[in-house]
Amino acid sequence: GEVQHLLKDTFSISQDADFIVHQPAIREDVYSYEYEDGPGPDTQNLAFDLTHGSNTPWNAKILDMLVKELQRRNVEEQWLFRRSDGYYKAILEDRYKRLQTAWRAAQPKVTAKGILETAAEVEERLVTKRDENLKSVHQTTRRRNKYIRIAKILQHVIKLKKDDEDDDLPAWMWLEKLIKTL
C-alpha cells in the first residue's frame, strides 16, 4: 500500500495502465548524467529512462530517491512496521518493471508494411489485448468456481452416504479423491 501511494503521489498514477502516458526522461539528460557531470533526475519532476532497465545510474538514482521518500514517510507517519531499504528497493524495482512493460506495450510498433502504428491502431491493439486478458481471467474464474462447486457437492453426497451407510460410499470417496487430485 505504501509504495502504491508513493507512486500515485509522485507520478499521478492510480494503476499501471495510467503509466502509458508517462513522459520518459530526455535522452540528453540521461546521457549527461551517466557519462558527464549532468545534474541527474529532477526531484520535482521525476522521469524514468524507460528504454533501459532499473539498474542504469539514472533509474537507480530515482529508485534510491523513492526509497528515501518511503523511509521518510515511514518515520513521519509512524508506520507500524519498519522495513529495510533493500525491501523497499526490491518492491520498487518490481513495480518499475511492471510500469515499464505497460509503457512499452503502449508505444507504437512497426506494422507489417514497415510504418509505425497510428495512435488509433495503438489504442485498438491495447483494447484487444485487454479484452483477451479479461476473457482469460473470466474463463479461469469460471473453471475454478465449477471445480469448487463440484468438490462441495461431492463432500455433501459423501456426508449423506455416511449417514445412510450406503454400499456405494467407497466409490463416492474415490471420486472425491480423484477430483481433488485434479
Side-chain angles (χ1 to χ4, degrees):
E2 297 94 7
V3 172
Q4 181 65 26
H5 290 289
L6 175 67
L7 293 175
K8 182 179 181 181
D9 295 343
T10 306
F11 298 106
S12 302
I13 60 169
S14 58
Q15 55 187 354
D16 292 355
D18 296 339
F19 201 71
I20 63 174
V21 295
H22 177 74
Q23 292 300 315
I26 300 168
R27 239 181 257 271
E28 292 79 18
D29 292 345
V30 174
Y31 182 86
S32 172
Y33 177 72
E34 292 182 2
Y35 300 106
E36 299 168 359
D37 288 335
D42 178 8
T43 57
Q44 302 304 314
N45 187 21
L46 290 179
F48 282 113
D49 175 19
L50 293 167
T51 58
H52 297 93
S54 61
N55 293 330
T56 63
W58 181 274
N59 289 334
K61 176 71 174 172
I62 291 175
L63 291 174
D64 288 341
M65 295 164 99
L66 293 173
V67 167
K68 286 180 181 151
E69 177 61 18
L70 278 169
Q71 291 294 18
R72 185 192 66 74
R73 289 182 181 195
N74 187 332
V75 170
E76 193 174 278
E77 298 171 10
Q78 299 176 349
W79 295 342
L80 293 176
F81 299 101
R82 303 242 183 232
R83 307 282 190 198
S84 69
D85 288 353
Y87 174 83
Y88 285 129
K89 182 128 184 173
I91 291 174
L92 286 168
E93 285 175 352
D94 181 59
R95 283 304 304 264
Y96 171 79
K97 289 175 187 171
R98 288 180 18 211
L99 293 172
Q100 182 187 36
T101 300
W103 182 83
R104 281 188 175 168
Q107 299 309 300
K109 309 285 185 226
V110 177
T111 65
K113 296 179 182 178
I115 57 173
L116 282 179
E117 292 175 316
T118 64
E121 291 170 328
V122 170
E123 182 180 1
E124 181 181 335
R125 178 172 47 83
L126 291 175
V127 168
T128 302
K129 179 70 173 165
R130 189 191 77 220
D131 289 347
E132 288 172 2
N133 287 343
L134 289 174
K135 183 178 179 182
S136 174
V137 167
H138 176 73
Q139 288 174 343
T140 302
T141 303
R142 195 177 77 238
R143 286 183 186 130
R144 185 180 65 242
N145 289 342
K146 182 178 179 182
Y147 169 80
I148 290 170
R149 189 172 53 251
I150 290 171
K152 284 183 180 180
I153 290 171
L154 283 173
Q155 287 175 348
H156 186 65
V157 167
I158 289 171
K159 183 180 175 194
L160 291 174
K161 296 287 183 178
K162 281 183 180 177
D163 291 345
D164 295 341
E165 298 180 10
D166 284 343
D167 294 336
D168 62 349
L169 177 63
W172 285 100
M173 292 177 78
W174 174 84
L175 182 60
E176 180 188 37
K177 184 178 179 183
L178 175 70
I179 295 295
K180 285 187 175 181
T181 58
L182 295 177

